[in-house]
Amino acid sequence: MRVETLPQAAGARRGAPSWPAAGVTLPTAHGRHLVALDIDGTLLHHDGTLSPVVADAVTAARAAGHEIVIATGRSLVAARPVAESLGMTEGYVVASNGAVLAELDPAAPDGARVLRTHTFDPAPALAVLRDSWPDARVAVEEVGLGFKVSAEFDPGELDGTVRVVDWAELVAGPATRVTFRSPSGTAQDFLDLVERVGLTGVNYAVGFTAWLDIAGEGVSKASGLERVRRWERIPRRRTVAVGDQRNDCEMLAWAACGVAMGNAPDEVKAVAKLVTGHVLADGVADVLRALPPACSGSCCA
């Protein structure tokens, strides 16, 4: 492993798990792995760029026989171009923090087929949040299309078709994912906010800014990945997940080896079994290069 991935330890809290020494494989059983990879802050730099080192590592892991799964809070519309930039024309995408499961398929419209969605009634949660923050705006995902919103979001924050609608239309019908966003707040503001208002009956995660994603109760990246794992009949002992934010905590705990990026908050590192390098040092590539060999036959049973 490259030396520049190691300084992450200096930024980690005392006692956090550290990346293994060069030449040590991940503590998982040999054989075909399910490897779940977050996008922003893990695969992509915070400016949205993809390192060729990371792209090559993903390609090599797939060529070796491992099942690489994109697991993201992004919508499917926003996740698919990232998969394409990685050369992935087949495989699974766990989008919208687990509320949408899709399979990449070049023959399908827009290059992907939605396999399963998990919806919930957004009205109760939004009623609690509606007047809780002065300049907040709300986005309700429309799978495969974009979002309906209470007000315009900043450029680049949402993908697909974005429609401003009135409140009645915003909360009407089931939704896969709802986003509550403030351009003036901070992540800590929103952590305090959800504690104060007491969201119930939903699953939620605060991002690295004042960005709150809400999904149905029990829905997370982990719940989506578990379904993929069962479909592919991959033992839990051969699962790896890599992420950097609070919405990754469930999948890091779910995986046999959850790996936090060096740029992750301490609370995310605390959930992980290992901490790799910073996203700017291609930490996820080190994880992929450390995968045990994929094989066939009795050694993979």
Side-chain angles (χ1 to χ4, degrees):
M1 296 181 186
R2 298 175 305 148
V3 174
E4 60 264 36
T5 66
L6 301 181
Q8 58 82 23
R13 63 174 177 80
R14 183 169 296 180
S18 58
W19 189 244
V24 178
T25 57
L26 296 170
T28 53
H30 281 210
R32 178 171 173 253
H33 279 52
L34 186 158
V35 184
L37 303 177
D38 170 54
I39 290 181
D40 298 290
T42 301
L43 284 169
L44 299 186
H45 294 178
H46 293 120
D47 64 359
T49 58
L50 171 66
S51 164
V53 173
V54 170
D56 289 347
V58 170
T59 298
R62 294 181 65 236
H66 297 297
E67 185 70 42
I68 304 299
V69 180
I70 301 298
T72 180
R74 290 188 179 206
S75 67
L76 179 59
V77 170
R80 196 179 61 250
V82 178
E84 291 174 355
S85 70
L86 291 166
M88 294 178 61
T89 57
E90 57 183 21
Y92 296 99
V93 176
V94 175
S96 304
N97 288 324
V100 177
L101 299 185
E103 186 172 19
L104 299 169
D105 181 353
D110 299 321
R113 295 183 296 113
V114 175
L115 303 176
R116 191 177 185 90
T117 60
H118 192 294
T119 60
F120 72 110
D121 179 4
L126 289 180
V128 170
L129 290 168
R130 184 173 185 179
D131 298 318
S132 63
W133 197 265
D135 64 351
R137 61 281 313 264
V138 175
V140 177
E141 182 178 42
E142 296 184 296
V143 177
L145 298 174
F147 296 85
K148 52 184 180 180
V149 300
S150 62
E152 293 288 353
F153 278 57
D154 289 344
E157 289 191 329
L158 299 176
D159 288 88
T161 301
V162 178
R163 302 185 298 118
V164 178
V165 301
D166 61 28
W167 191 262
E169 183 175 351
L170 194 69
V171 301
T176 49
R177 188 261 301 266
V178 170
T179 296
F180 190 74
R181 166 72 168 139
S182 166
S184 65
T186 65
Q188 188 58 53
D189 288 334
F190 268 31
L191 289 169
D192 295 340
L193 172 65
V194 295
E195 182 72 20
R196 184 172 72 251
V197 302
L199 288 177
T200 59
V202 295
N203 197 33
Y204 62 85
V206 176
F208 66 92
T209 61
W211 183 289
L212 170 66
D213 277 334
I214 305 168
E217 190 169 19
V219 176
S220 68
K221 293 183 182 183
S223 65
L225 289 165
E226 176 61 16
R227 188 170 294 278
V228 173
R229 184 192 71 80
R230 293 181 180 181
W231 285 342
E232 291 297 314
R233 298 182 179 181
I234 297 175
R236 179 73 69 83
R237 65 182 180 273
R238 296 205 301 267
T239 55
V240 174
V242 191
D244 76 308
Q245 279 299 325
R246 298 174 186 90
N247 64 333
D248 296 315
C249 285
E250 290 95 340
M251 80 169 183
L252 297 185
W254 164 85
C257 184
V259 184
M261 296 294 292
N263 45 288
D266 284 351
E267 63 198 91
V268 177
K269 292 176 181 176
V271 176
K273 294 180 176 65
L274 295 171
V275 178
T276 188
H278 195 284
V279 63
L280 295 178
D282 302 328
V284 69
D286 290 337
V287 179
L288 293 169
R289 286 195 291 260
L291 286 168
C295 57
S296 58
S298 60
C299 70
C300 292

